[in-house]
Amino acid sequence: MTFVITQSCCKDAACVPVCPVQCIRPRPGDADFATAEQLYIDPSSCIDCGACATACPVDAISTKDELPPSLSEFGAINADYFKAHPLTPAEPPAVSRHHIPHSVSTMRVAVIGSGPAALYAAAELSEIPRVEVTIIERLPTPFGLIRAGVAPDHESTKRVADRLGRVLVRPNVTCLFDVEVGRDLSIAEVLEHHHAVIVATGASRPRRAGVPGEDLVGSVSAQEFVSWYNGHPDRASLPFPVTGPRAVVIGNGNVALDIARLLAQPAAAYESTAVSDGALKSLAASGIEEVAVVGRRSQAFAAYSTSELAALASLKTVDLLAEADEVAVSEDDRTVAGASSRGWALPRRYRIVAEAATRPRTHSRRIVLRYGLTPTAVLGDHHVTGVELAGPDGTTKVIEASLVVWALGFTGHPIDGLPFDADTGTVPNRAGRVTELSTGRVVPGVYCSGWAKRGASGVIGTNRVDSAETVASLVEDFTEGRLADPPGDSDSFAALARVRRPGLLDVDGWRRIDAAEVDAGRDEGRSRIKLVTWTDLRDAGRGD
């Protein structure tokens, strides 16, 4: 009864060190760890102990015999990985244990942000004796993209917040919510009270397409749209036109598939989730019957995962279709894509798309996969009426639509007082140590992690390994005496923050928000009903 890793794998690799026979791959440090869609268990080596399932923060691991029909294919997916990557014996990975010498003072670290990268770093730091951590978050709520980016029907993925949330209540961790560095406090002021600061602010700006009509009403970024349906207070009140019969999603990653799935499914599919009330009401009145998902290149180079594609094919009330004349993969593309780290999975993906290209329409709603089409213009005078696309032969096609969502990826944003590389959208760094962009000189006491460090790539758990590297650099610098003792301390910093931001919230404020949302959801059979305005969040956090 071998264990199997399934679709919701977060890749934080907590399962790897606990496996007594080391049959989980890829491991952090393996050549394909960063690009792998998920982790896999070798069925021929698994001894059925279940240690991995206990360690998994998102309940992505179960026995093969207990897989529900919707996940039954993952037994074969796990096995196929090891056909392409035969298991080689390996010792359990070393678990880092940092220590602060007793001859030096207590180390104080500020972490800007409270998403996965920030909390993985804060968790590792706060486990070290004589370390104090201050978490500074712009929003009244923690968890970043776990709360505001994960699709509402991926409830298991959101469970990682339960484990990461434990760091917020540790006695050596101070939380300052609704405080923005760069607006309320400067980086210099943070460093006046801490030995070091870790910037983990993510990548919150959408990449632009740069085509005519991109700013028409009804042409929106995935960042705006995802924030809307997840109840982010910056976006929750925005109106989105979902009354027309067709929407177009430009992009071929998992975010594009999340958006397509949300738009195509009946609102009833989300009634028990934490989708925002406003989005749920809009979806209930939606007239959308078709969602076209448009990729610029052939399907060989699509960035979505095999599991997310397979999930679309298994939707009960939505047809997954494809245009038969667009799904072919040239020999050159097949060779190049096949040589990549995900090449072993491509035959399964090709099969799913081939079936979509021959499947008859049986439902009133459908998702249509389109390939080899480059957007050249968004059409309409004031509101979107369609999108113009150029094919590989130079011919143009028009898809009529009232909504165009651009899922082209994300980029970071600069913070006053910090170096920033506008070309990559990241904070320049070496192993997490922030460096001057022009000279490469290390900026003392300033570090980065997550998307701010490496760009918008990877999944939630990728940040665990990424943050560990940054923490290792920081601890080394501190123990080697490279970080100056700050004149202020954590208490004086919290006092300064309260002067600048009198209504800021602490961890008890977040607990009140959390309780209010969960209680409201329980009354209606939902996981939670989110508070989505700044006023409501602040009032709940203060107990008003």
Side-chain angles (χ1 to χ4, degrees), residues 371-385:
Y371 300 99
L373 300 174
T374 301
T376 54
V378 179
L379 307 178
D381 293 328
H382 181 62
H383 294 269
V384 170
T385 59

Side-chain angles (χ1 to χ4, degrees), residues 338-427:
S340 71
S341 61
R342 297 198 298 178
W344 67 274
L346 290 176
R348 190 179 301 274
R349 295 167 64 172
Y350 294 157
R351 173 177 58 77
I352 295 171
V353 175
E355 291 172 354
T358 58
R359 182 178 293 118
R361 285 172 51 178
T362 58
H363 297 96
S364 61
R365 294 168 177 251
R366 57 199 172 274
I367 295 171
V368 184
L369 304 175
R370 308 293 301 269
Y371 300 99
L373 300 174
T374 301
T376 54
V378 179
L379 307 178
D381 293 328
H382 181 62
H383 294 269
V384 170
T385 59
V387 58
E388 181 185 79
L389 305 149
D393 59 358
T395 60
T396 60
K397 302 180 181 182
V398 172
I399 300 178
E400 294 182 356
S402 59
L403 175 66
V404 177
V405 184
W406 300 89
L408 304 180
F410 304 90
T411 186
H413 62 277
I415 296 177
D416 287 345
L418 273 185
F420 183 74
D421 187 340
D423 292 334
T424 63
T426 62
V427 178

Side-chain angles (χ1 to χ4, degrees), residues 144 177 211 213 234 249 286 293 316 341 367 372 393 416 443-444 477 523:
F177 298 120
V211 302
D234 285 343
V249 182
S286 171
V293 181
K316 301 298 184 183
S341 61
I367 295 171
D393 59 358
D416 287 345
V443 181
D477 290 347
D523 293 341

Side-chain angles (χ1 to χ4, degrees), residues 294-333:
V294 177
R296 179 174 59 86
R297 304 175 74 183
S298 80
Q299 60 155 315
F301 301 103
Y304 50 63
S305 67
T306 305
S307 59
E308 291 295 333
L309 178 64
L312 288 191
S314 65
L315 293 177
K316 301 298 184 183
T317 58
V318 178
D319 290 324
L320 179 65
L321 308 176
E323 294 291 335
D325 62 344
E326 295 172 355
V327 301
V329 179
S330 70
E331 284 304 315
D332 285 347
D333 284 358

Side-chain angles (χ1 to χ4, degrees), residues 18-42:
V18 303
C19 176
V21 293
Q22 288 300 295
C23 69
I24 301 175
R25 297 290 189 278
R27 311 192 315 171
D30 289 350
D32 61 334
F33 178 79
T35 56
E37 295 179 355
Q38 62 168 79
L39 307 187
Y40 308 89
I41 294 172
D42 180 14

